[in-house]
Amino acid sequence: ISVWIEERGGRVEIDISDEGAGVPDAELPNIFEKFYRVSSPQASASGSGLGLSITKGLVEAMGGSVSARPRTDGRSGLSVLIRLPNADPA
């Protein structure tokens, strides 16, 4: 897993990437739904399908957004991008 954090345009962006089996494009819109699990034969059998749903709820409650996409560096896996408002340090 790799994590990149960057401030951009008054927001904090957190990009988390893994090197797992990835998620088929057709299933990407569903992965933030409660209890959703990828149906791919390469997908891990563990988990309840709640992690990304909980993540989405927490991020949106803080005024942010979350999205997922295949990795863009040629490796297998998934990248999840979290965008949060930058907290005012004052």
Side-chain angles (χ1 to χ4, degrees):
I1 293 178
S2 61
V3 178
W4 296 92
I5 302 172
E6 183 176 5
E7 183 179 7
R8 184 180 290 188
R11 299 183 73 75
V12 174
E13 293 188 354
I14 306 164
D15 193 345
I16 303 123
S17 298
D18 68 20
E19 292 187 18
V23 175
D25 289 341
E27 295 193 49
L28 279 172
N30 304 318
I31 64 173
F32 293 101
E33 294 177 17
K34 288 181 186 172
F35 304 110
Y36 188 82
R37 295 177 58 186
V38 175
S39 60
S40 168
Q42 298 92 348
S44 170
S46 64
S48 63
L50 286 173
L52 288 175
S53 176
I54 291 169
T55 298
K56 181 179 180 186
L58 290 171
V59 168
E60 288 179 351
M62 292 184 277
S65 65
V66 62
S67 61
R69 66 186 187 285
R71 290 183 66 135
T72 58
D73 60 4
R75 295 180 179 179
S76 66
L78 184 71
S79 288
V80 175
L81 179 62
I82 297 171
R83 291 184 173 105
L84 295 168
N86 193 1
D88 183 10

